[in-house]
C-alpha cells in the first residue's frame, strides 16, 4: 500500500482514508516529497534559521517511511501530524467477526531521507526497524530516547608519522524546542586519539566511546539510547535486527537503536546531520593539531 503526498506550508494534520474494500495487508508505505528540516541556530536566547549562502539551492529532499505490522490488518485511516511528525494508524484485524477500528500497535518502522543524483540516490539519514511510535521526521524520532550518542571517527597521520584514529562524540538528552526542533541537554563531550585499528576504525571508536562513557557515567547504563553513525549504511539494518554482530562478535547491546546520518549534506537542515558533521569537524581539527 503506497501513499503519495506533496507537502506545503498550509499543512498541519493530514488524514488519509483508506478506500473501503482495500485488501488486508501488513505494510504501509508513505512517500513524501519536498521534505524540509527544522534546524534552528542558537545565539544566547535567540533562535534563528541556519545560514545559507545567497542563491544557494538544494536538490529536493524525499522521505520514505515503511511501517511493518506483525499481522494482517484492514487499514482504515492514517493520520500524519506535520507539526510533530508523528504517525497514527487505525484499522481492524483480519477477521469477519471484528468490525470496529482501533489504533494499530505491534509494528516497526523504517525511514529513509534522500535526494536524487544522476548516478544514484544520496542518503541523508535513515533508521531501520524501530518499534513503538512512528515519526515521519528522524529528528522527532530521537525524542523517544533517554539519550543520544553521536559518534564519528576520522583517520590521519600523527606527529611521528604514525597512522592514528580520532573519535569524537556528543552525548546528551534530547529535548523538544519550537515544535519538532530539538536540542541536547546534559551534554557529555568525548574525544579520543588512538593507534589505527586493524578493523573498521568507526566501529572500534564507537565501542571505545561506550566503554569509557559508561565507566565514567554508570547512571547512563540501561537507558534507551539512539546511536548516530555515518559508517556502513548497508549493514545498519542487520545490526539493528541483531542478525549480524556489531563489534568483535558482539551484537549491538539491547536498548540501543542505531541511526545513520551523513556529514556530507543536510547539516543545515537536520539535527542528526548537524551532530555528525560537528563530530567530523572536531576530528579534523584534532588531527591537524597533532601533526
Amino acid at each position: 500500500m503506497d501513499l503519495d503526498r506533496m507537502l506545503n506550508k498550509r499543512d498541519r494534520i493530514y488524514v488519509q482514508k483508506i478506500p473501503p474494500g482495500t485488501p488486508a495487508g501488513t505494510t504501509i508505505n508513505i512517500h513524501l516529497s519536498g521534505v524540509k528540516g527544522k534546524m534552528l541556530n542558537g545565539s544566547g536566547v535567540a533562535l534563528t534559521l541556519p545560514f545559507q549562502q545567497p542563491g544557494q539551492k538544494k536538490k529536493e529532499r524525499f522521505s520514505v517511511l515503511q511501517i511493518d505490522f506483525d499481522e494482517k490488518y484492514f487499514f482504515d485511516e492514517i493520520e500524519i501530524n506535520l507539526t510533530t511528525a508523528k504517525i497514527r494508524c487505525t484499522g481492524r484485524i483480519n477477521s469477519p467477526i471484528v468490525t470496529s477500528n482501533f489504533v494499530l500497535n505491534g509494528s516497526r518502522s523504517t525511514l529513509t531521507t534522500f535526494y536524487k543524483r544522476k548516478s544514484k540516490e544520496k542518503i541523508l539519514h535513515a533508521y531501520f526497524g524501530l518499534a513503538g511510535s512512528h515519526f515521519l521526521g528522524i529528528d522527532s524520532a530521537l525524542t523517544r530516547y533517554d539519550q543520544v550518542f553521536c559518534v564519528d571517527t576520522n583517520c590521519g597521520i600523527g606527529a611521528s608519522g604514525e597512522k592514528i584514529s580520532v573519535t569524537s562524540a556528543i552525548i546528551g538528552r534530547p529535548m523538544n524546542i519550537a515544535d519538532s526542533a530539538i536540542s541536547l541537554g546534559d551534554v557529555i563531550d568525548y574525544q579520543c586519539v588512538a593507534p589505527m585499528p586493524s578493523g573498521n576504525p568507526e566501529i572500534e571508536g564507537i565501542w571505545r566511546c561506550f566503554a569509557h562513557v559508561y565507566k565514567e557515567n554508570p547512571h547512563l547504563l540501561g537507558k534507551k539510547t539512539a546511536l548516530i553513525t555515518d559508517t556502513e549504511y548497508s549493514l545498519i539494518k542487520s545490526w539493528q535486527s541483531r542478525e549480524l554482530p556489531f563489534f568483535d562478535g558482539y551484537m549491538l547491546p539491547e536498548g540501543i537503536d542505531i541511526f545513520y546520518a551523513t556529514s556530507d549534506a543536510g547539516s543545515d537542515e537536520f539535527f542528526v546531520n548537524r551532530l555528525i558533521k560537528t563530530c567530523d569537524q572536531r576530528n579534523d581539527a584534532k588531527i591537524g593539531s597533532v601533526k
Side-chain angles (χ1 to χ4, degrees):
M1 182 179 298
D2 292 303
L3 305 175
D4 293 304
R5 176 65 173 163
M6 298 290 289
L7 296 184
N8 61 65
K9 294 180 180 179
R10 295 185 299 275
D11 286 319
R12 290 296 177 268
I13 300 291
Y14 174 71
V15 177
Q16 172 70 54
K17 293 289 292 183
I18 307 303
T22 300
T26 60
T27 300
I28 291 175
N29 287 304
I30 301 173
H31 298 250
L32 291 182
S33 58
V35 175
K36 297 182 184 298
K38 294 189 177 182
M39 277 293 304
L40 294 173
N41 282 338
S43 177
V45 296
L47 295 174
T48 62
L49 294 175
F51 173 76
Q52 292 187 3
Q53 295 290 344
Q56 183 180 8
K57 186 176 181 181
K58 291 183 172 64
K59 293 182 180 295
E60 186 176 15
R61 275 50 170 143
F62 300 87
S63 285
V64 177
L65 178 71
Q66 178 173 309
I67 305 175
D68 295 301
F69 294 88
D70 296 336
E71 59 178 301
K72 281 189 175 182
Y73 289 104
F74 289 104
F75 300 115
D76 173 64
E77 184 177 282
I78 301 168
E79 179 184 287
I80 306 173
N81 186 317
L82 296 173
T83 300
T84 65
K86 192 171 183 178
I87 308 289
R88 191 185 73 155
C89 303
T90 60
R92 67 184 191 277
I93 62 174
N94 184 21
S95 170
I97 62 174
V98 177
T99 59
S100 60
N101 296 310
F102 51 88
V103 176
L104 302 180
N105 298 308
S107 56
R108 294 181 175 272
S109 59
T110 295
L111 175 74
T112 306
T113 299
F114 59 93
Y115 64 84
K116 297 177 180 179
R117 300 185 296 189
K118 289 184 179 180
S119 56
K120 60 179 182 179
E121 295 172 350
K122 171 64 177 178
I123 305 298
L124 294 174
H125 52 247
Y127 62 71
F128 299 89
L130 297 191
S133 301
H134 309 301
F135 295 88
L136 207 48
I138 195 169
D139 293 347
S140 297
L142 293 180
T143 60
R144 302 170 58 232
Y145 295 87
D146 300 317
Q147 59 190 0
V148 170
F149 275 66
C150 182
V151 190
D152 183 62
T153 298
N154 293 4
C155 300
I157 304 299
S160 302
E162 75 281 14
K163 293 183 179 180
I164 61 172
S165 66
V166 177
T167 299
S168 294
I170 300 172
I171 301 107
R173 176 173 54 87
M175 302 182 301
N176 272 319
I177 57 171
D179 292 333
S180 58
I182 68 172
S183 66
L184 287 186
D186 303 327
V187 172
I188 298 171
D189 179 52
Y190 170 86
Q191 191 169 67
C192 177
V193 179
M196 180 73 74
S198 57
N200 184 334
E202 297 265 11
I203 303 303
E204 183 147 329
I206 291 170
W207 209 255
R208 189 184 299 114
C209 172
F210 276 139
H212 174 83
V213 172
Y214 285 143
K215 181 180 179 181
E216 297 296 318
N217 303 270
H219 64 283
L220 296 180
L221 283 167
K223 291 186 178 293
K224 188 172 177 61
T225 300
L227 168 63
I228 302 170
T229 181
D230 67 349
T231 191
E232 302 286 11
Y233 171 77
S234 63
L235 297 180
I236 288 180
K237 184 176 181 180
S238 297
W239 288 337
Q240 174 67 21
S241 63
R242 276 65 176 178
E243 295 175 8
L244 285 180
F246 181 69
F247 175 75
D248 198 25
Y250 292 96
M251 296 294 181
L252 192 70
E254 291 299 322
I256 298 177
D257 290 327
I258 189 165
F259 290 64
Y260 173 84
T262 181
S263 61
D264 298 337
S267 63
D268 60 346
E269 303 168 81
F270 304 101
F271 186 71
V272 291
N273 298 95
R274 172 68 66 85
L275 282 177
I276 203 75
K277 179 68 173 180
T278 301
C279 291
D280 177 74
Q281 291 172 332
R282 296 185 67 227
N283 288 336
D284 286 343
K286 186 65 175 179
I287 289 171
S289 70
V290 299
K291 287 182 178 180

